[in-house]
Amino acid sequence: MMNCPFCGAQISTESTFCPYCGQKIVRQAPPQPDPAEEARRQQEEAARRQQEEAARRQQEEAARRQQEEAARQRAYEQQQRAYQQQQAYQQQQAYQQQAYQQPNNQGSEVPPVPPVPPTSFGDNSDFSVMSILTEGIPLGIKNFITIFGAAILWLLTFWIPYLNVGTTIAITTMPLALADNESPEGPTYIFNSRYRKYMGEYFILMGLMYMAIWTAYLFLIIPGIVISLAWSQAIYLLFDKHINPIDALKESNEKTCGHKWTLFFVGLVFNIAFFILAFILLWIFIQIDVTFLVVIAVILLIALYMVGSVGINAVIYRKLCK
C-alpha cells in the first residue's frame, strides 16, 4: 500500500490511477548507476587486489629467503664442525707418530694416544642412560607446577576447536624451553598464538611420522621401534629451527644416529622404575582402604610420570641437538 500523492488516500502500489481522486499515478524510475562512479569503484577494487597480491608475494619471498638462509647457516655450521673435528683428528695422528719416534727420559717409548674419531651433532660427550635420567628427572620436577598446570589447562580446553591445536602443540614442544635451561612463562603459555602459526607443518609432520611408523610396526615391531627412535627429535627440530617437516625428519635421523640404544634404554629404565614405584604406592594406599587417597595417589603418579618424561626429553634434545 502507498499514499496517493494528490489526495493522500491509501491505494495499492500497483494502481495506475487513484480510485478516489482519479489522478494518474506517475512513478519515478529507479536511479541508474553512474558509469564513471562504477568504473572508479572497479579500478579501486582492482588496485586493492593488486596490493594484496604484491604483499602476499613479498611475504612468501621473505619466508623463502629466510628458509634458504637458515639452510645455508646449518650447512656452514656442519662444515665448520667437520673441519674442526678433522683438524683435531690430524693433530692427534701427528702426535701419535711423534710419540712413537721420540723416546722419553727413561729410554722407553711414550705410549701412543688413541685417535678420537669425529663425534656427531650436539653436546653428547656424556650421552649415557644415567646422565640423562639424573639430569632430566630433577629438571622436570623443578618445573612441576608449570608442566602439571599446563596439562590441566589443556584437558579443560581440549574441546574448543582451533584453540586445542595450539595448546596441543605447546604441550608437545614443552621440552624445548627446558632444553635451554629456561622455564615457560607459567601454565597459561599454552594459549600463546605463536603455537598456531605452524599448524600446517605440525599436521604434515605428524601424518608423515605415524603413517611410516605404523607401517614399520607391521614388519614384526622392531623396525617401528627403530624409526620411532630415529624420528623422536623431529617435532622439536621443526619448531626450534623453523625447518620444513621433511628436513626435520632427516635431521632427527642424523642426530640420533649411533644413539638409538641409549634412547631405547632410557625409556625402558624410566618406565620400569616408574611402574615399580607406582605398584608400591598403590599397594600401600589400597591397604589403607581410603578411596580419596587412592585417587590422589593415581593423580600424583600421572603428574610425576609427565614431568619426568618432559625433563628427560629436554635433556636428550639438549645433548643431541643444541
Side-chain angles (χ1 to χ4, degrees):
M1 300 295 290
M2 58 176 288
N3 292 327
C4 175
F6 299 100
C7 65
Q10 288 281 331
I11 61 175
S12 174
T13 55
E14 289 81 11
S15 300
T16 305
F17 292 90
C18 178
Y20 300 101
C21 64
Q23 295 292 331
K24 183 177 181 180
I25 305 300
V26 180
R27 293 180 175 82
Q28 295 181 354
Q32 298 296 326
D34 187 2
E37 181 66 21
E38 182 66 18
R40 185 186 64 78
R41 187 187 64 79
Q42 293 179 356
Q43 290 177 357
E44 291 179 352
E45 181 67 19
R48 184 184 64 80
R49 291 179 180 177
Q50 290 178 355
Q51 291 177 355
E52 291 178 352
E53 182 67 18
R56 184 184 63 81
R57 291 179 179 176
Q58 290 179 357
Q59 292 177 354
E60 292 178 352
E61 181 68 18
R64 184 185 63 81
R65 291 179 179 176
Q66 185 177 5
Q67 291 180 352
E68 291 178 352
E69 182 64 26
R72 285 195 295 267
Q73 184 66 23
R74 290 195 303 273
Y76 174 75
E77 291 176 355
Q78 292 179 3
Q79 291 176 357
Q80 288 293 106
R81 285 196 296 267
Y83 175 76
Q84 293 173 0
Q85 292 164 0
Q86 184 65 25
Q87 290 292 323
Y89 182 76
Q90 292 176 357
Q91 291 177 0
Q92 290 174 351
Q93 289 283 43
Y95 178 79
Q96 180 180 0
Q97 293 176 359
Q98 183 180 4
Y100 272 119
Q101 295 173 0
Q102 296 180 358
N104 59 11
N105 294 333
Q106 286 75 25
S108 60
E109 292 185 349
V110 177
V113 177
V116 179
T119 58
S120 60
F121 301 90
D123 182 16
N124 48 31
S125 56
D126 189 20
F127 194 78
S128 62
V129 175
M130 290 305 299
S131 67
I132 293 172
L133 293 175
T134 54
E135 293 180 33
I137 295 175
L139 179 62
I141 295 175
K142 178 183 176 182
N143 296 274
F144 177 88
I145 296 178
T146 298
I147 297 173
F148 189 64
I152 296 297
L153 292 177
W154 177 79
L155 289 173
L156 294 176
T157 59
F158 185 73
W159 57 274
I160 303 177
Y162 184 65
L163 180 66
N164 54 9
V165 178
T167 56
T168 302
I169 295 174
I171 288 288
T172 306
T173 58
M174 186 183 294
L176 282 179
L178 274 64
D180 293 326
N181 293 320
E182 299 176 357
S183 297
E185 55 274 18
T188 57
Y189 86 99
I190 63 173
F191 300 116
N192 197 308
S193 60
R194 69 174 181 269
Y195 293 105
R196 296 188 292 272
K197 180 180 179 181
Y198 299 97
M199 183 189 308
E201 290 84 349
Y202 173 77
F203 284 122
I204 291 173
L205 179 62
M206 291 295 102
L208 293 174
M209 286 180 59
Y210 285 108
M211 282 193 299
I213 289 172
W214 285 114
T215 303
Y217 270 114
L218 298 177
F219 292 86
L220 300 180
I221 300 178
I222 294 179
I225 297 175
V226 174
I227 293 179
S228 299
L229 296 173
W231 289 351
S232 60
Q233 308 304 305
I235 184 67
Y236 308 132
L237 291 167
L238 177 72
F239 290 94
D240 187 25
K241 298 193 175 182
H242 307 293
I243 56 181
N244 62 63
I246 299 297
D247 289 341
L249 293 174
K250 291 180 180 179
E251 191 162 346
S252 177
N253 185 58
E254 292 176 355
K255 293 179 182 297
T256 56
C257 182
H259 303 290
K260 295 184 181 65
W261 275 114
T262 303
L263 296 175
F264 175 77
F265 282 113
V266 166
L268 182 64
V269 172
F270 176 70
N271 283 283
I272 291 176
F274 172 78
F275 283 116
I276 292 174
L277 176 63
F279 177 80
I280 295 173
L281 289 178
L282 288 178
W283 183 84
I284 293 173
F285 283 105
I286 290 173
Q287 296 302 315
I288 298 174
D289 196 18
V290 179
T291 305
F292 81 92
L293 290 180
V294 176
V295 174
I296 292 175
V298 172
I299 296 174
L300 179 62
L301 287 171
I302 294 174
L304 289 176
Y305 186 84
M306 183 188 309
V307 298
S309 300
V310 171
I312 289 172
N313 288 328
V315 172
I316 290 174
Y317 184 77
R318 179 198 304 164
K319 289 179 175 291
L320 285 181
C321 306
K322 284 292 182 182

